[in-house]
């Protein structure tokens, strides 16, 4: 692979605010460099000490890392612990009455629950699972709305050593069925329905449909939480209400201590082949990643109110809703609804009302909030905020600047976190009290994370050039395997091209002369235009920097002349243009990109839509856009697509 050219010219730097540095868990760049140097000098010693100091062990480990069966690495393998014990029991003496979760429902109703109350609820439900015969190692599929119950269900599985697999509540019956079959789950936990944006949406019918598709013979029971009270089809042979299951059960349940490597969960992510990949995570290493990133990246303090907006159906919701904040004894927000209901000020109102101090959301949400009302945050008191975070994809510099200036009022560091379902927790991210920030860069690796950029032979690329992002050494919270498919794990993440030694992230990246990492899009989103390799992210950033543009996604399509042509899908801050108007704006945007980046990056095709095709979690479906750009028939599953009507719009070139 020739190196990817970085064409983004971003020179702004924002040092961390002095008050943040003064009280940070990692204070100043010197402290960061010292921590990092320690991890380089004695890798195992570093991760051993951190694990001893930050987790509560039932049986202490004697071996830190076992590399004998690489790339199937194990960490702390002879140690024993329980993840739920580390999240709940450890706080019972020190902070039983502290609020653990503030739940705000779609209709604005607020429920608060203390650590002691949460502990009792988890224990009671864990006893319910035991009553149904669920044991250590059994797989439990969870298909619930964002709620306290979702956290209770996950923690209860962890408490008895059962392995949970959460399916996002927006996924189709087919997705549920595929995951039941692959995991051979014994139990499904679901709800009658959920509320989103003022609407009642059924959930249980998707489970009924999934079970009716066949192949789900492993399922013995379906536990149903009554959320909406809507009509449900009832099968007395296997359906049981959550409240009936719990009735009369004790609210104490001793934790089942498991080996450090015992799987905590399987989380399915879409693979390039279409068959979902069951990413398997361990108990101890995963929890350690969650705890350390809460400490280092979010700089968590005892008086913080932490709000990660991700759904528990995604890894961000696992690590930064269900496990990380609770292991740290923090108070966190769980929100059932959507950011624009009943109006576009919902997020800002919630930050004001609950005095949120750390706010963590996705660039997609940030861009849609800009579109919904760029000046709206100014109408709310956001003075409680001290740290802002972003997750899920690279953030374009202009959205970053809005987030920094308008939401954070220029005083809150932004932690732009790069990580993946497979990495379990943050890998590359600023530390709020140490790292000078550059808009659009995820900055520097966390202590103990050996990130690098290499070419297609696995050789290091000099700083200032782009290539493949890899992690050179194993780390505690990493994926252990793909459930039931070790060969696919090796081929996907430890390819033979690099001698099977490096973890391949699948992202193209550039490391600037200060050592900062810039994620340039997935490797398959790297364009080769007239022999120049361009990251799609940079062209998207240039488009979004234009005052008319709310959002943009760029893909490549084959071109006889240039090899690949840049195809841009654009959402404007105004109504979708047509005819001469569309042509005029398209030309204006091309000129703008040429000015920002260079003529080489000018989009050949520009297509306008009311919005972009996204999954219900807000991820842009780039594979779909690639198919549209090439003029192919769409054959892939679009059941998770939020608004299928826009596909037709996007097929029409502006000019």
């Amino acid at each position: 692979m020739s190196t990817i050219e970085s064409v983004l010219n971003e020179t702004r730097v924002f040092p961390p605010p002095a008050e943040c540095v003064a009280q940070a868990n990692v204070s100043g760049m010197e402290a960061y460099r010292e921590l990092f140097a320690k991890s380089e000098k004695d890798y195992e010693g570093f991760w051993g000490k951190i694990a001893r100091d930050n987790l509560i062990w039932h049986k202490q480990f004697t071996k830190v890392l076992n590399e004998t069966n690489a790339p199937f690495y194990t960490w702390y393998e002879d140690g024993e612990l329980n993840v739920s014990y580390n999240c709940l029991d450890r706080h019972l003496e020190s902070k039983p009455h502290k609020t653990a979760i503030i739940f705000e429902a779609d209709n604005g109703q607020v429920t608060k629950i203390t650590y002691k109350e949460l502990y009792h609820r988890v224990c009671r439900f864990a006893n319910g699972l035991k009553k149904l015969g669920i044991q250590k190692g059994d797989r439990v599929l969870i298909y619930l709305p964002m709620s306290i119950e979702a956290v209770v269900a996950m923690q209860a599985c962890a408490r008895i050593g059962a392995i949970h697999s959460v399916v996002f509540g927006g996924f189709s019956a087919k997705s549920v069925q595929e995951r039941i079959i692959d995991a051979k789950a014994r139990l499904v936990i679901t709800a009658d329905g959920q509320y989103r944006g003022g609407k009642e949406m059924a959930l249980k019918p998707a489970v009924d449909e999934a079970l009716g598709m066949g192949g789900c013979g492993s399922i013995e029971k379906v536990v149903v939480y009554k959320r909406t009270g809507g009509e449900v089809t009832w099968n007395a042979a296997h359906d049981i209400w959550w409240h009936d299951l719990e009735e009369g059960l004790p609210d104490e349940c001793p934790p089942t201590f498991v080996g450090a490597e015992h799987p905590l969960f399987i989380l399915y992510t879409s693979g390039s082949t279409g068959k979902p990949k069951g990413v398997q995570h361990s108990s101890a290493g995963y929890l350690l990643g969650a705890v350390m990133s809460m400490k280092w990246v979010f700089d968590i303090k005892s008086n913080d109110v932490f709000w990660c907006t991700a759904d528990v159906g995604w890894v961000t919701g696992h690590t930064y809703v269900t496990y990380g904040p609770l292991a740290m004894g923090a108070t966190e927000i769980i929100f059932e609804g959507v950011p624009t209901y009943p109006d576009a000020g919902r997020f800002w109102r919630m930050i004001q009302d609950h005095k949120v101090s750390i706010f963590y959301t996705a660039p997609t949400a940030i861009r849609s909030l800009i579109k919904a009302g760029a000046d709206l945050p100014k109408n709310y008191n956001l003075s409680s905020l001290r740290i802002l975070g972003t997750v899920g994809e690279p953030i374009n510099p202009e959205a970053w600047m809005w987030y920094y200036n308008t939401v954070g009022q220029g005083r809150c560091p932004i932690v732009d976190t790069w990580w993946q379902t497979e990495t379990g927790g943050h890998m590359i991210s600023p530390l709020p009290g140490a790292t000078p920030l550059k808009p659009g860069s995820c900055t520097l690796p966390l202590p103990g994370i050996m990130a690098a950029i290499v070419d297609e032979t696995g050789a290091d690329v000099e700083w200032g050039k782009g290539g493949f992002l890899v992690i050179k050494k194993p780390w505690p919270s990493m994926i252990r395997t793909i459930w039931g498919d070790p060969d696919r794990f090796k081929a996907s993440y430890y390819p033979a091209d690099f001698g099977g030694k490096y973890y391949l992230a699948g992202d193209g990246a550039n490391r600037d002369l200060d050592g900062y990492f810039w994620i340039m899009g997935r490797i398959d989103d790297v364009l080769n235009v007239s022999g120049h390799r361009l990251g799609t992210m940079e062209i998207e950033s240039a488009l979004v920097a234009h005052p008319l543009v709310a959002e943009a996604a760029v893909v490549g399509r084959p071109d006889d002349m240039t090899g690949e042509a840049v195809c841009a899908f654009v959402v404007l801050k105004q109504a979708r243009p047509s005819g001469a108007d569309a042509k005029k704006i398209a030309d204006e945007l091309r000129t703008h990109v040429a000015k920002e980046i260079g003529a080489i990056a000018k989009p050949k095709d520009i297509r306008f839509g009311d919005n972009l095709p996204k999954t219900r979690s807000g991820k842009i479906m780039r594979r779909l856009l690639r198919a549209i750009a090439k003029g192919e028939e769409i054959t892939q599953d679009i059941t998770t697509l939020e608004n299928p009507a826009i596909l037709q719009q996007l097929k029409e070139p502006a000019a």
Side-chain angles (χ1 to χ4, degrees):
M1 166 183 171
S2 57
T3 59
I4 303 170
E5 290 177 37
S6 178
V7 285
L8 191 68
N9 185 21
E10 180 56 65
T11 53
R12 294 169 289 196
V13 179
F14 297 85
E19 61 273 23
C20 198
V21 177
Q23 50 95 64
N25 295 331
V26 179
S27 174
M29 274 308 278
E30 204 42 56
Y32 162 76
R33 288 193 194 101
E34 199 176 303
L35 264 177
F36 202 92
K38 267 187 192 166
S39 71
E40 281 182 309
K41 191 172 165 208
D42 177 9
Y43 196 68
E44 285 193 35
F46 175 81
W47 281 117
K49 182 172 179 355
I50 278 177
R52 277 189 282 275
D53 290 352
N54 288 279
L55 298 182
I56 296 174
W57 295 87
H58 177 64
K59 177 183 168 214
Q60 194 54 253
F61 58 89
T62 61
K63 189 168 182 60
V64 176
L65 170 61
N66 184 344
E67 300 180 81
T68 50
N69 187 24
F72 300 96
Y73 302 101
T74 61
W75 288 85
Y76 321 118
E77 61 187 18
D78 59 345
E80 288 178 8
L81 49 51
N82 179 277
V83 168
S84 173
Y85 183 94
N86 271 272
C87 293
L88 300 171
D89 307 49
R90 71 184 303 171
H91 307 306
L92 290 179
E93 277 188 25
S94 57
K95 48 180 80 78
H97 305 303
K98 182 177 179 175
T99 301
I101 297 170
I102 302 169
F103 171 67
E104 183 162 319
D106 186 64
N107 66 2
Q109 190 178 349
V110 174
T111 308
K112 294 183 179 182
I113 181 169
T114 65
Y115 271 91
K116 193 170 183 179
E117 288 164 338
L118 182 59
Y119 161 81
H120 287 310
R121 283 186 65 173
V122 167
C123 285
R124 199 157 47 242
F125 193 66
N127 285 325
L129 295 177
K130 284 179 142 167
K131 187 167 118 183
L132 295 176
I134 300 297
Q135 296 170 350
K136 177 182 161 185
D138 286 340
R139 275 78 64 203
V140 173
L141 191 111
I142 298 175
Y143 188 64
L144 282 169
M146 268 303 274
S147 55
I148 294 172
E149 285 67 31
V151 171
V152 167
M154 292 162 83
Q155 286 276 355
C157 288
R159 195 159 192 87
I160 62 171
I163 303 166
H164 61 68
S165 183
V166 183
V167 181
F168 170 57
F171 274 174
S172 63
K174 182 80 186 133
S175 303
V176 174
Q177 179 225 21
E178 285 172 349
R179 286 154 174 75
I180 288 172
I181 294 171
D182 194 73
K184 297 186 176 58
R186 286 185 63 192
L187 179 74
V188 177
I189 303 170
T190 188
D192 50 1
Q194 58 184 342
Y195 294 102
R196 280 178 71 84
K199 296 187 184 76
E200 185 181 315
M201 298 159 92
L203 266 181
K204 185 170 181 288
V207 174
D208 296 337
E209 192 185 332
L211 298 181
M213 288 174 177
C216 299
S218 60
I219 293 292
E220 296 164 20
K221 291 284 181 194
V222 177
V223 177
V224 187
Y225 170 64
K226 190 177 273 190
R227 170 74 186 105
T228 61
E231 284 291 305
V232 288
T233 308
W234 202 253
N235 180 333
H238 57 60
D239 292 347
I240 177 164
W241 286 111
W242 179 305
H243 58 267
D244 286 342
L245 175 66
E246 284 192 333
E247 196 174 351
L249 293 179
D251 60 7
E252 298 279 350
C253 172
T256 301
F257 293 103
V258 297
E261 282 295 312
H262 179 75
L264 177 64
F265 63 86
I266 308 161
L267 185 56
Y268 287 85
T269 156
S270 52
S272 51
T273 62
K275 182 182 180 307
K277 293 185 289 195
V279 171
Q280 180 185 319
H281 274 291
S282 72
S283 294
Y286 167 80
L287 186 65
L288 185 66
V291 164
M292 295 321 296
S293 51
M294 289 294 302
K295 275 195 176 177
W296 287 336
V297 176
F298 292 126
D299 192 46
I300 199 81
K301 303 282 189 283
S302 60
N303 57 347
D304 276 316
V305 176
F306 177 85
W307 183 16
C308 164
T309 66
D311 190 284
V312 289
W314 311 105
V315 74
T316 306
H318 281 52
T319 309
Y320 301 109
V321 176
T322 300
Y323 293 113
L326 296 177
M328 295 306 296
T331 295
E332 63 167 323
I333 307 276
I334 294 181
F335 174 47
E336 180 180 38
V338 294
T340 49
Y341 175 81
D343 56 61
R346 181 70 180 267
F347 270 14
W348 318 129
R349 190 180 305 110
M350 284 179 64
I351 291 171
Q352 169 184 276
D353 292 355
H354 300 302
K355 297 191 172 41
V356 172
S357 53
I358 305 171
F359 180 62
Y360 191 39
T361 196
T364 302
I366 294 163
R367 289 192 295 266
S368 66
L369 289 161
I370 295 172
K371 193 181 177 192
D375 289 329
L376 264 179
K378 294 173 182 168
N379 300 339
Y380 298 87
N381 179 357
L382 306 183
S383 61
S384 58
L385 286 171
R386 68 180 192 93
I387 292 169
L388 299 173
T390 161
V391 58
E393 58 184 306
I395 182 166
N396 45 290
E398 288 319 304
W400 192 101
M401 288 303 304
W402 177 86
Y403 197 31
Y404 185 77
N405 287 322
T406 308
V407 180
Q409 297 155 355
R411 53 178 182 78
C412 300
I414 295 178
V415 291
D416 175 355
T417 60
W418 177 84
W419 62 295
Q420 300 173 308
T421 304
E422 294 87 347
T423 70
H426 300 150
M427 302 291 280
I428 307 175
S429 169
L431 304 189
T435 319
L437 305 172
K438 297 186 184 184
S441 168
C442 51
T443 71
L444 298 167
L446 296 191
I449 303 299
M450 303 305 162
I453 294 172
V454 299
D455 63 17
E456 73 272 11
T457 65
D460 280 9
V461 168
E462 61 185 280
W463 287 14
K465 301 276 174 58
F468 297 107
L469 176 60
V470 296
I471 311 294
K472 288 190 168 183
K473 283 190 171 181
W475 64 100
S477 65
M478 67 187 292
I479 175 175
R480 294 309 196 256
T481 185
I482 290 171
W483 179 259
D485 201 343
D487 293 344
R488 191 177 179 192
F489 165 75
K490 274 174 86 166
S492 300
Y493 302 109
Y494 284 88
D497 304 4
F498 304 151
K501 287 191 173 67
Y502 296 164
Y503 170 88
L504 177 66
D507 281 324
N510 171 53
R511 194 166 196 186
D512 69 18
L513 296 176
D514 295 324
Y516 278 42
F517 286 81
W518 298 78
I519 307 297
M520 296 161 68
R522 301 292 294 164
I523 290 166
D524 54 10
D525 289 337
V526 174
L527 310 183
N528 192 332
V529 181
S530 304
H532 297 264
R533 296 179 63 85
L534 300 171
T536 53
M537 170 62 201
E538 300 187 298
I539 307 171
E540 289 168 6
S541 286
L543 284 162
V544 175
H546 190 283
L548 287 178
V549 177
E551 200 166 15
V554 168
V555 299
R557 65 161 177 77
D559 185 87
D560 294 342
M561 190 68 89
T562 55
E564 233 178 338
V566 175
C567 181
F569 297 89
V570 175
V571 180
L572 296 177
K573 290 174 182 170
Q574 59 189 57
R576 184 168 68 94
S578 57
D581 193 24
K583 184 178 180 328
K584 178 174 165 289
I585 294 174
D587 286 342
E588 194 180 318
L589 293 179
R590 285 190 185 97
T591 308
H592 173 76
V593 170
K595 188 165 123 277
E596 288 274 309
I597 294 177
I600 191 71
K602 270 184 19 180
K604 196 157 194 179
D605 305 345
I606 291 185
R607 302 169 182 216
F608 296 107
D610 291 330
N611 42 42
L612 294 175
K614 291 174 188 166
T615 63
R616 290 180 191 147
S617 72
K619 275 233 166 98
I620 297 169
M621 296 175 81
R622 292 177 190 274
R623 276 183 297 171
L624 204 58
L625 292 178
R626 279 194 281 273
I628 295 172
K630 291 173 188 167
E632 297 171 350
E633 279 303 303
I634 291 165
T635 53
Q636 70 187 83
D637 179 21
I638 55 170
T639 54
T640 61
L641 188 57
E642 202 173 16
N643 175 11
I646 58 171
L647 295 183
Q648 201 49 49
Q649 294 177 7
L650 297 172
K651 286 178 182 174
E652 299 162 19

